[in-house]
Amino acid sequence: PSAVASDASSAYVYATDYANGDILAYTVAANGALAKMSGSPFAAGGQPSAIAVNQKYPYVYVTNSQDATISAYTMSNGALTSLGTYQTGLQPVAIGIDPSTYHFLFTANYLGNSVTGYEMSTTAGTLVSSQFSPFDANAQPTAVAAVPHNGTGAGVQ
């Protein structure tokens, strides 16, 4: 596994399987025990490296470092259904969702020395590139931290 995330209710846990190009999905029991979900694993792209679950809307996003893409999914009772893939900069290794609006997504592109930004559709889960994206970064960025900024917006660190 290369990354782990859960939904807002903590009823489901997802882990990316870097070697096999999959997302493993589990239900979480009241005692914390994990049970593999029916239909799991779900297909991702080449070398899935990071995962983000939108905590307000039913969408999951996975960076695929080998393909330089994001795989987008809708989530229903924990099960994932593909919404498509979106291009990023070279070798995305981290992903984050703006916690102020749950409407913007960013990837850190390790070999691309950049950050790619998207606006998410809250009704469809699809992504549209942000204006002027990708954004220059220092050499080989490895993390994304989207934090509320004065309660009115978000900043990417």
Side-chain angles (χ1 to χ4, degrees), residues 58-145:
Y59 307 115
V60 175
Y61 302 92
V62 173
T63 57
N64 302 301
S65 61
Q66 184 179 46
D67 303 344
T69 61
I70 294 173
S71 294
Y73 305 87
T74 187
M75 178 178 51
S76 177
N77 295 321
L80 302 180
T81 302
S82 178
L83 293 172
T85 58
Y86 300 87
Q87 287 299 130
T88 66
L90 193 58
Q91 196 178 15
V93 295
I95 192 167
I97 296 174
D98 161 32
S100 295
T101 64
Y102 303 98
H103 191 65
F104 298 96
L105 179 142
F106 302 91
T107 65
N109 309 310
Y110 185 78
L111 292 179
N113 300 324
S114 64
V115 172
T116 304
Y118 299 92
E119 183 176 358
M120 293 183 287
S121 166
T122 59
T123 57
T126 53
L127 301 175
V128 175
S129 291
S130 297
Q131 187 176 14
F132 308 118
S133 180
F135 309 100
D136 290 337
N138 288 332
Q140 301 173 331
T142 58
V144 172

Side-chain angles (χ1 to χ4, degrees), residues 16-76:
T16 55
D17 183 342
Y18 187 85
N20 292 315
D22 293 328
I23 303 164
L24 304 168
Y26 302 91
T27 57
V28 182
N31 67 359
L34 299 179
K36 189 175 176 182
M37 285 185 54
S38 176
S40 178
F42 299 97
Q47 299 176 342
S49 53
I51 187 168
V53 177
N54 193 310
Q55 298 299 302
K56 186 172 181 181
Y57 301 103
Y59 307 115
V60 175
Y61 302 92
V62 173
T63 57
N64 302 301
S65 61
Q66 184 179 46
D67 303 344
T69 61
I70 294 173
S71 294
Y73 305 87
T74 187
M75 178 178 51
S76 177

